[in-house]
């Protein structure tokens, strides 16, 4: 059986107010739970698909700078 993660995430957030959506995003990041990453990925996909080329370039620059210069977490650690 296939499960449509994109569809499920979009369905679950479709009726949220902006404040609820922000709270869900902040909570998901704070929890740091691996199983929440696909949902955050779906949200990033929505942002990416609705961004200008300039905004996309800035997102890539931010990601690249933070990932290449920030601390490297242990992939096997907590």
């Amino acid at each position: 059986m296939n499960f449509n993660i994109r569809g499920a995430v979009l369905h679950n957030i479709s009726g949220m107010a902006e404040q609820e959506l922000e709270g869900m995003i902040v909570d998901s990041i704070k929890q740091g739970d691996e199983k929440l990453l696909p949902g955050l990925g779906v949200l990033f996909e929505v942002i990416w698909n609705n961004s200008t080329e300039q905004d996309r370039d800035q997102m890539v620059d931010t990601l690249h700078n933070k990932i290449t210069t920030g601390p490297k977490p242990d992939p096997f650690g907590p």
Side-chain angles (χ1 to χ4, degrees), residues 6 19 54:
R6 280 181 185 87
Q19 189 174 13
Q54 182 180 359

Side-chain angles (χ1 to χ4, degrees), residues 42-61:
V42 171
L43 297 180
F44 183 76
E45 181 180 56
V46 170
I47 292 168
W48 184 266
N49 287 338
N50 291 281
S51 296
T52 65
E53 191 65 35
Q54 182 180 359
D55 290 338
R56 289 178 179 178
D57 289 344
Q58 185 171 356
M59 285 186 274
V60 170
D61 286 344

Side-chain angles (χ1 to χ4, degrees), residues 9-35:
V9 170
L10 295 173
H11 174 77
N12 288 339
I13 65 171
S14 64
M16 286 186 178
E18 286 183 22
Q19 189 174 13
E20 291 175 301
L21 183 57
E22 181 180 0
M24 190 244 353
I25 293 167
V26 170
D27 288 346
S28 295
I29 293 170
K30 271 186 185 177
Q31 288 181 30
D33 191 340
E34 296 286 317
K35 65 184 171 198

